[in-house]
Amino acid sequence: MTTGKIVVLGSLNMDLSIRVPRLPRPGETVAGTEMVRGTGGKGANQALAARRLGAQVALVGAVGADQFGAELRDDLVASGVDVSGVAVAPEVATGVALIVVDPHGENMITISPGANATLTAPDLRAQLDGAHALLLQLEVPVDACRAAADAARCAGVPVVLNAAPLPDHPADDLTELIRGSDVLVVNETEAAGLAPGAASADDAARILRDLGVPEVVVTLGEHGAIAADRAGLTHVPAFSVDAVDAVGAGDAFCAEFSLARTAGGADLATATRRACAAGGLAASRPGAAASLPHRDEVDRLLDAPTYDSAEVTNRAT
């Protein structure tokens, strides 16, 4: 696989995580282990993931002028991520995510967006120079994502949109952003929210593809992923791993997919297969940033004899 340059526009949060014996019910307090804090936010996670997978990475976002913001920038720089596009908002706190995780890897997350909500329309010309892809998520304002997508299209850079987290009531501006993207990546729940009349994940993938997005990928957790384009649907099974924490799995998936599909020139099914491997590895480890795999780990899992490439199925529609 060829390495390349990925530009990520997205959120930076300080993650505050506690492992619990079970997830609390409404109004209930559950005692857990000590709190662990670390780099988080879908933007920062996807930037770190792409860097570990061998890409040159530029991150665009915003933090507050506080200790959390300084720590996040320092951690990213130490990992080799270009943070020259990360603005410091002096009047707003850095974003924070409160995370609880049970022994099965299920989690509950609450986010205070802080400075992430201040991102408007940053100038991406310097970051997009030589880039193979622009990777977006929805933990920053949709208007900022639309402006970034417009800049990428003008620069001839493909846009990969991870439409997560999905707003409770998706609006027309999100539909416009989706239609203007080259690839849409969503999980099964997000796909159902964007295609409310869909009878299945396959049906949702078809509906979203028919909105005009050239390629749609629906992730299915332990069941793998569905990749859809004009030729039809491809189901790629998951890799067999012992899942302990799914917090960073989707971010690892998106980073590997973007790198493989654009810089690596892999076809849609191959890029999705590599992404499933990266996501599976992240799910097998606790934490968000700490769980993100390196490129050699993904390659080793892809070469593991337990994976049967014949299980990949194609369905024309």
Side-chain angles (χ1 to χ4, degrees):
M1 301 296 295
T2 303
T3 60
K5 180 180 179 181
I6 303 295
V7 178
V8 181
L9 180 136
S11 58
L12 297 90
N13 293 327
M14 181 60 72
D15 282 353
L16 306 177
S17 303
I18 301 176
R19 300 193 72 84
V20 293
R22 59 180 176 80
L23 298 180
R25 295 184 290 271
E28 182 184 24
T29 299
V30 175
T33 62
E34 64 178 333
M35 183 188 71
V36 177
R37 77 185 196 188
T39 300
K42 294 190 73 63
N45 287 344
Q46 293 183 9
L48 282 171
R51 183 71 190 110
R52 289 187 187 175
L53 293 165
Q56 177 186 351
V57 182
L59 175 60
V60 179
V63 295
D66 51 28
Q67 182 180 349
F68 281 175
E71 286 184 21
L72 290 173
R73 288 170 59 92
D74 288 347
D75 286 348
L76 289 160
V77 169
S79 297
V81 175
D82 175 4
V83 298
S84 61
V86 175
V88 177
E91 304 299 327
V92 187
T94 297
V96 173
L98 306 177
I99 306 168
V100 291
V101 184
D102 74 9
H104 305 289
E106 294 297 328
N107 62 77
M108 297 173 64
I109 304 175
T110 300
I111 295 174
S112 173
N116 295 307
T118 69
L119 197 61
T120 53
D123 186 349
L124 300 184
R125 284 175 293 182
Q127 284 78 16
L128 289 171
D129 184 30
H132 291 87
L134 171 68
L135 179 54
L136 305 172
Q137 326 80 36
L138 298 180
E139 284 184 347
V140 295
V142 172
D143 285 348
C145 292
R146 288 176 56 193
D150 289 344
R153 281 191 293 272
C154 290
V157 176
V159 177
V160 179
L161 171 63
N162 175 211
L166 192 66
D168 290 336
H169 303 287
D172 290 343
D173 56 352
L174 178 55
T175 301
E176 183 178 340
L177 174 63
I178 290 171
R179 286 175 170 161
S181 300
D182 296 281
V183 184
L184 173 66
V185 181
V186 287
N187 65 25
E188 196 169 4
T189 301
E190 293 150 0
L194 290 172
S200 65
D202 281 12
D203 195 26
R206 295 186 188 99
I207 291 171
L208 294 173
R209 177 198 60 191
D210 291 344
L211 282 177
V213 188
E215 297 176 351
V216 175
V217 179
V218 180
T219 62
L220 307 174
E222 64 181 356
H223 301 294
I226 298 166
D229 59 10
R230 289 301 172 189
L233 271 62
T234 300
H235 181 262
V236 179
F239 289 77
S240 179
V241 299
D242 293 326
V244 298
D245 185 343
V247 172
D251 297 326
F253 184 102
C254 292
E256 176 57 44
F257 179 90
S258 300
L259 187 59
R261 186 73 180 101
T262 60
D267 60 38
L268 180 60
T270 300
T272 304
R273 176 178 175 244
R274 290 190 62 89
C276 283
L281 286 167
S284 71
R285 304 161 178 169
S291 73
L292 301 171
H294 292 81
R295 180 177 170 182
D296 62 332
E297 296 176 302
V298 174
D299 289 339
R300 286 199 301 269
L301 182 57
L302 287 162
D303 291 337
T306 55
Y307 183 79
D308 183 2
S309 61
E311 292 182 7
V312 178
T313 58
N314 298 279
R315 297 184 295 281
T317 56

